[in-house]
């Protein structure tokens, strides 16, 4: 991508307050989807390719800090400042379950097999809910040393990862024993942690640094200093040759994974950028900002004859163009672009 070229993103309006989390589904038979969390308490579901608004999940009474979709994009999960985590039907928009906590829920994640939901927050407790028995008490993992900021699963749901708001490091927990088996040391608090689609790397953002860790042996593979405090980083999933990072200076930068050289710098947001995530095919990435907007950017050429494209499930994938996107299968709302709607019907 030419560094001097001005990138023009798709701008997705709809949130009335800062966008603090984004999550892309894998490619499904209906295409792929993007869910956003915002301090306005109303998570939104969009067509992941076009950014078109599909529906709004209404029911939280406080800021929503975290959001995710299950593997098939049939269900959504959210964690909120109203002391709850909710499971939603992503097709109808109905609340399926509400899991009450004793303090703010900052992070949530579906297990890879979609049978469990992991939550964490200000209580300093990691909880695992069995979604096949949603009324059963959750399993509580050993107490976290600090308020939980991020959570995710890896190693086919055998390991969970968490970071804290008030201290550095990423902790890896054995799901069977509930104990910490490894700590990835960082100087600053880790504000973003992502496991690559092929399961090889853990990408973290802490302070002025983006780091890549071996997800199996836990060694530090690469560490790059950033020009500003970064809040989020994401590795391009198809070939793993680029990564994006963004934070307090409002710019989204694209870097070469192997050298750390800045490839592009995209400007457009009017406030700090809280989250960046690549689409499952790597052709675009989304950014969410303090300014309340989501912007979807083109990645640029993704050509590498020596690499084989990898899907979100680790298998070789077809291109996104080969996947039919049957948005009409979602019965949340009539067709339409979010930018043309000022009032949306409750999902």
């Amino acid at each position: 991508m030419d560094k001097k070229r001005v990138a023009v993103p798709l701008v997705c309006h709809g949130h009335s307050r800062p966008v603090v989390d984004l999550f892309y589904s894998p490619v499904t038979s209906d295409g792929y989807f993007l869910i956003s969390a915002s301090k306005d308490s109303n998570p939104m579901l969009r067509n992941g390719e076009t950014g078109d608004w599909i529906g709004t999940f209404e029911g939280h009474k406080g800021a929503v800090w975290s959001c995710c979709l299950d593997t098939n994009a049939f269900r959504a999960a959210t964690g909120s400042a109203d002391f709850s985590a909710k499971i939603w039907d992503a097709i109808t928009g109905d609340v399926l379950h509400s899991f009450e906590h004793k303090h703010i829920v900052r992070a949530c994640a579906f297990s890879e097999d979609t049978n469990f939901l992991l939550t964490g927050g200000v209580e300093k407790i990691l909880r695992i809910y069995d979604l096949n028995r949603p009324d059963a008490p959750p399993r509580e993992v050993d107490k976290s040393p600090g308020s939980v900021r991020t959570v995710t699963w890896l190693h086919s749901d055998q390991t969970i990862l968490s970071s804290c708001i008030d201290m550095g490091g990423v902790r890896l927990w054995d799901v069977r024993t509930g104990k910490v088996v490894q700590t990835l040391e960082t100087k600053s608090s880790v504000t973003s942690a992502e496991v690559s689609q092929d399961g090889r790397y853990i990408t973290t953002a802490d302070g002025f640094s983006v780091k890549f860790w071996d997800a199996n042996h836990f060694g530090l593979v690469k560490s790059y200093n950033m020009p500003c405090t970064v809040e989020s980083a994401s590795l391009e999933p198809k070939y793993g040759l680029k990564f994006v990072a963004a934070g307090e200076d409002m710019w989204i930068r694209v870097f070469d994974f192997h050298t750390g050289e800045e490839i592009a710098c995209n400007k457009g947001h009017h406030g700090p950028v809280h989250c960046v995530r690549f689409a499952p095919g790597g052709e675009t990435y989304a950014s969410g900002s303090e300014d309340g907007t989501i912007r979807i950017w083109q990645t640029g050429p993704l050509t590498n004859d020596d690499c084989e494209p990898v899907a979100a499930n680790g298998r070789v994938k077809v291109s996104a163009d080969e996947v039919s996107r049957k948005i009409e299968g979602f019965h949340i709302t009539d067709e339409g672009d979010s930018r043309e709607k000022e009032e949306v019907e409750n999902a």
Side-chain angles (χ1 to χ4, degrees):
M1 182 184 293
D2 187 350
K3 208 172 191 179
K4 296 180 181 179
R5 185 180 305 161
V6 177
V8 180
L10 290 170
V11 182
C12 306
H13 297 283
H15 286 297
S16 59
R17 296 201 63 205
V19 177
V20 293
D21 195 23
L22 295 170
F23 185 95
Y24 276 104
S25 77
V27 176
T28 74
S29 59
D30 295 311
Y32 60 92
F33 303 92
L34 174 65
I35 188 172
S36 55
S38 169
K39 291 183 181 179
D40 66 8
S41 79
N42 295 316
M44 292 185 179
L45 185 69
R46 298 177 185 275
N47 179 322
E49 183 182 26
T50 66
D52 287 348
W53 176 86
I54 296 173
T56 300
F57 300 102
E58 295 186 357
H60 278 299
K61 304 300 182 184
V64 177
W65 286 105
S66 179
C67 59
C68 56
L69 294 163
D70 69 9
T71 304
N72 297 311
F74 291 154
R75 293 175 297 179
T78 51
S80 172
D82 66 7
F83 295 13
S84 77
K86 294 184 187 295
I87 303 289
W88 310 80
D89 185 315
I91 298 176
T92 67
D94 296 330
V95 176
L96 299 177
H97 307 290
S98 186
F99 300 119
E100 299 305 315
H101 293 62
K102 295 178 181 178
H103 215 304
I104 294 168
V105 182
R106 285 297 303 260
C108 61
F110 282 108
S111 60
E112 186 178 332
D113 65 12
T114 73
N115 290 324
F116 300 94
L117 181 73
L118 172 65
T119 68
V122 179
E123 279 186 89
K124 304 180 181 180
I125 298 172
L126 295 169
R127 292 185 173 92
I128 300 174
Y129 292 89
D130 186 340
L131 300 181
N132 295 315
R133 297 186 304 134
D135 296 327
R139 178 185 169 194
E140 294 186 358
V141 177
D142 234 8
K143 194 171 179 67
S144 170
S147 297
V148 177
R149 174 65 184 263
T150 65
V151 295
T152 192
W153 301 77
L154 64 162
H155 301 154
S156 300
D157 301 331
Q158 297 303 303
T159 308
I160 57 179
L161 174 158
S162 71
S163 70
C164 297
I165 296 171
D166 41 9
M167 64 181 62
V170 171
R171 283 148 201 89
L172 296 153
W173 311 72
D174 187 313
V175 172
R176 292 165 295 181
T177 66
K179 304 294 183 182
V180 174
V181 294
Q182 187 77 28
T183 300
L184 311 181
E185 299 291 348
T186 65
K187 291 182 179 179
S188 303
S189 170
V190 171
T191 52
S192 171
E194 174 190 80
V195 179
S196 62
Q197 288 188 1
D198 60 7
R200 292 179 62 192
Y201 298 113
I202 299 168
T203 304
T204 62
D206 70 289
F208 283 83
S209 173
V210 172
K211 296 180 174 66
F212 299 92
W213 310 81
D214 187 311
N216 297 301
H217 303 289
F218 308 124
L220 180 62
V221 178
K222 295 181 182 295
S223 179
Y224 296 120
N225 292 325
M226 297 287 107
C228 74
T229 300
V230 291
E231 196 166 338
S232 185
S234 184
L235 180 63
E236 188 277 307
K238 193 173 184 180
Y239 300 115
L241 300 178
K242 302 176 181 179
F243 68 95
V244 293
E248 66 178 14
D249 71 356
M250 302 182 281
W251 299 349
I252 300 95
R253 292 180 168 89
V254 185
F255 298 90
D256 183 289
F257 171 76
H258 294 290
T259 66
E261 177 187 359
E262 184 178 310
I263 300 170
C265 181
N266 296 323
K267 307 173 184 180
H269 281 296
H270 303 291
V273 178
H274 297 305
C275 45
V276 287
R277 285 293 177 261
F278 269 102
E283 63 278 357
T284 60
Y285 53 93
S287 56
S289 168
E290 184 76 15
D291 65 16
T293 68
I294 300 165
R295 293 171 190 256
I296 299 177
W297 311 81
Q298 292 292 324
T299 305
L302 285 177
T303 55
N304 190 326
D305 295 336
D306 298 327
C307 296
E308 197 169 36
V310 178
N313 59 9
R315 301 187 180 94
V316 175
K317 67 181 286 294
V318 297
S319 70
D321 293 337
E322 295 174 60
V323 181
S324 62
R325 295 172 175 82
K326 304 170 186 174
I327 298 304
E328 63 269 20
F330 273 45
H331 304 298
I332 295 180
T333 184
D334 294 334
E335 293 179 350
D337 189 315
S338 63
R339 288 161 286 184
E340 298 175 358
K341 293 180 179 292
E342 295 182 359
E343 294 185 6
V344 297
E345 185 176 340
N346 177 13

